[in-house]
Amino acid sequence: MAGRLHAILLLALHLSVVGGILIIENKCDQTVWSVVFSWESQISNTGFTLRRGESRALQAPSSWYGIISGRTLCSNESRGNFSFATGDCESNKIECPGSYGWSTVTYIYFRIDYSGTNSYFISLEYGYNLPVMVVPSHSNPTCFSSGCMVGLNKTCPNKLMIYDGIIPIACSSACKESSTHENCCTNYFGSRQTCKATLYSQNFERACPLAYSYPYSDSNSTFTCPNTTNYVITFCPSSIPNTTRSVQFP
């Protein structure tokens, strides 16, 4: 796998020197269907299949602002429409063009070469469906690896658990389930002083202290990196590093 990632990076770096390289890899015991959604600038590939052990390199353009997530448990009906048990973008396709509604999934936000810097953070505000890890090619006090990997049975409150039959497959957030101003930190509750943690966000903050679990959870979960930084995003890493480290890019 390391050799293949090295080869992918060599090819991608020859294609463009503007923006950054995002390598998405799947180490889960199941197929994952990635979602790439862009708010500013565009990555043309909006969704693709990653079988176990596969990876894909994407070229993010300068000033790209967007999110990456993973879908699981795909179904394909007789008319050829696709749907997913978690993370469905409701396009009925593998690709996710157009608008995108928030799902109960683990999100990774990126700003690439944005005002001279890169940044990323992991968000559990809407829910959690897959363990993730992000490894940047640079390492410094504001730019290092982070991730979130939890056991749903231990971390997710029972009333927020999402099942496939009897198997837990995701955890919805209190905001996603109730949409109240208090749980979503909106209106009167839209400030650090009035927005308080729910049982969901408290559990996930303990399990994943470097991820956002609600809008005002902390100010230490956004990682700022040089604008030459590239990233490896791993679904289902074998472990989450508890010390800063970086991956070697060519």
Side-chain angles (χ1 to χ4, degrees):
M1 176 61 72
R4 185 180 179 191
L5 289 178
H6 185 87
I8 290 173
L9 273 166
L10 281 174
L11 174 61
L13 288 171
H14 281 298
L15 294 177
S16 178
V17 294
V18 178
I21 307 298
L22 305 174
I23 295 179
I24 306 174
E25 62 176 0
N26 177 22
K27 292 188 176 180
C28 301
D29 291 331
Q30 61 179 317
T31 300
V32 172
W33 290 264
S34 291
V35 175
V36 181
F37 181 77
S38 305
W39 282 296
E40 297 181 21
S41 296
Q42 296 292 318
I43 293 177
S44 59
N45 196 333
T46 59
F48 49 89
T49 304
L50 286 175
R51 294 176 179 80
R52 180 182 179 183
E54 290 185 339
S55 59
R56 180 79 64 92
L58 303 176
Q59 174 69 49
S62 180
S63 299
W64 183 66
Y65 176 34
I67 53 174
I68 292 172
S69 62
R71 296 165 288 174
T72 62
L73 301 175
C74 176
S75 298
N76 182 215
E77 48 134 71
S78 58
R79 291 178 297 176
N81 292 330
F82 291 90
S83 63
F84 300 85
T86 71
D88 198 333
C89 62
E90 300 180 353
S91 69
N92 296 324
K93 302 176 181 178
I94 298 299
E95 300 78 21
C96 290
S99 60
Y100 181 66
W102 297 110
S103 297
T104 53
V105 300
T106 317
Y107 284 109
I108 309 105
Y109 290 65
F110 283 96
R111 291 182 185 267
I112 300 296
D113 196 13
Y114 206 89
S115 300
T117 62
N118 287 0
S119 64
Y120 82 90
F121 65 87
I122 295 168
S123 174
L124 313 173
E125 283 186 53
Y126 296 96
Y128 172 96
N129 71 328
L130 286 171
V132 299
M133 181 173 66
V134 180
V135 180
S137 59
H138 293 280
S139 181
N140 62 47
T142 66
C143 177
F144 52 90
S145 303
S146 71
C148 180
M149 182 167 60
V150 304
L152 284 174
N153 285 323
K154 294 182 179 180
T155 309
C156 185
N158 287 334
K159 66 179 181 179
L160 298 178
M161 193 83 80
I162 298 171
Y163 293 91
D164 178 37
I166 61 172
I167 301 173
I169 57 172
C171 185
S172 185
S173 70
C175 172
K176 184 72 175 173
E177 285 300 300
S178 69
S179 298
T180 65
H181 293 308
E182 185 173 6
N183 283 338
C184 296
C185 296
T186 54
N187 285 13
Y188 169 78
F189 299 96
S191 71
R192 190 174 298 276
Q193 290 71 36
T194 56
C195 176
K196 304 301 180 183
T198 63
L199 176 61
Y200 165 88
S201 56
Q202 289 173 340
N203 286 358
F204 275 91
E205 273 201 320
R206 285 192 292 268
C208 302
L210 296 181
Y212 283 99
S213 57
Y214 70 106
Y216 300 97
S217 53
D218 64 52
S219 58
N220 301 314
S221 298
T222 298
F223 302 93
T224 304
C225 303
N227 66 352
T228 56
T229 305
N230 302 308
Y231 301 89
V232 174
I233 301 102
T234 304
F235 293 117
C236 303
S238 57
S239 63
I240 300 294
N242 55 17
T243 58
T244 61
R245 68 181 180 89
S246 63
V247 66
Q248 295 299 313
F249 287 74

